[in-house]
């Protein structure tokens, strides 16, 4: 099992633009990998990172040989996802250090739930980040919307 968490800033302005910086965290049985490890260098635009991760799931589903790297949208922190023949998806650092292996469906559901929790806390006002996130949500497969 894996979970994805987007930590929007606590002291966000009354109108959330979608460009706010926060942290991304992956946690699974036996470990975690977080942008907080890099301190302020690990901050990313969490709404854009959520859209990027949703799009990554769609890319993985559409192309059997696809891999995916989260760029981090303004961050020095990222991770890579690639499909393996036997173990679903392997998540690793950009340098190739393995983090965990998870079933593809578990990863997809974790990204969906993390995004849902982020938007339940605060939704950005109309603009580029919200449009990107809405497009990514619309393209996300129905089978993983739980």
């Amino acid at each position: 099992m894996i979970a994805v968490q987007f930590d929007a800033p606590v002291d966000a302005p009354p109108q959330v633009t979608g460009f706010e910086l926060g942290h991304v965290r992956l946690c699974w049985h036996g470990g975690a990998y977080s942008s907080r490890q890099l301190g302020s260098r690990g901050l990313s635009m969490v709404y854009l990172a959520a859209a990027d991760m949703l799009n990554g799931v769609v890319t993985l589903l559409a192309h059997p040989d696809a891999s995916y790297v989260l760029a981090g949208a303004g961050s020095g922190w990222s991770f890579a996802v690639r499909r393996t023949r036997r173990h679903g998806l392997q998540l690793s650092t950009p340098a190739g250090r393995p983090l965990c292996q998870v079933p593809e469906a578990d990863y997809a559901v974790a990204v969906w739930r993390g995004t849902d929790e982020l938007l339940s806390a605060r939704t950005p006002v109309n603009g580029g980040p919200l449009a990107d996130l809405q497009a990514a949500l619309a393209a996300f497969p129905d089978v993983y919307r739980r």
Side-chain angles (χ1 to χ4, degrees), residues 3-8 24-25 46-55 57 107-124 129-130 132-134 136-138 140 146:
V4 175
Q5 300 167 335
F6 300 98
D7 299 327
V24 180
R25 181 174 191 246
V46 291
Y47 296 94
L48 295 177
D52 195 10
M53 289 177 74
L54 289 166
N55 288 329
V57 169
Y107 178 73
V109 169
V111 170
W112 177 260
R113 286 182 180 163
T115 302
D116 185 53
E117 289 172 11
L118 174 65
L119 290 174
S120 294
R122 280 190 215 90
T123 302
L130 181 58
D132 289 349
L133 197 47
Q134 288 171 329
L137 288 167
F140 196 84
R146 296 184 196 168

Side-chain angles (χ1 to χ4, degrees), residues 10-146:
V10 175
D11 56 349
Q15 266 199 340
V16 178
T17 66
F19 293 106
E20 286 77 16
L21 298 176
H23 289 283
V24 180
R25 181 174 191 246
L26 306 171
C27 45
W28 58 90
H29 179 68
Y33 185 62
S34 173
S35 63
R36 286 193 185 280
Q37 295 166 221
L38 296 178
S40 62
R41 289 183 320 130
L43 285 168
S44 65
M45 293 180 221
V46 291
Y47 296 94
L48 295 177
D52 195 10
M53 289 177 74
L54 289 166
N55 288 329
V57 169
V58 172
T59 298
L60 289 169
L61 290 174
H63 306 286
D65 295 332
S67 61
Y68 167 75
V69 177
L70 175 76
S75 173
W77 182 84
S78 66
F79 64 94
V81 180
R82 71 175 179 84
R83 185 175 283 112
T84 64
R85 294 192 191 273
R86 291 184 164 173
H87 303 289
L89 301 176
Q90 180 179 38
L91 280 65
S92 61
T93 65
R97 181 177 61 88
L99 297 170
C100 69
Q101 292 186 347
V102 296
E104 189 171 318
D106 288 359
Y107 178 73
V109 169
V111 170
W112 177 260
R113 286 182 180 163
T115 302
D116 185 53
E117 289 172 11
L118 174 65
L119 290 174
S120 294
R122 280 190 215 90
T123 302
V125 296
N126 289 338
L130 181 58
D132 289 349
L133 197 47
Q134 288 171 329
L137 288 167
F140 196 84
D142 288 337
V143 69
Y144 294 129
R145 297 175 194 236
R146 296 184 196 168

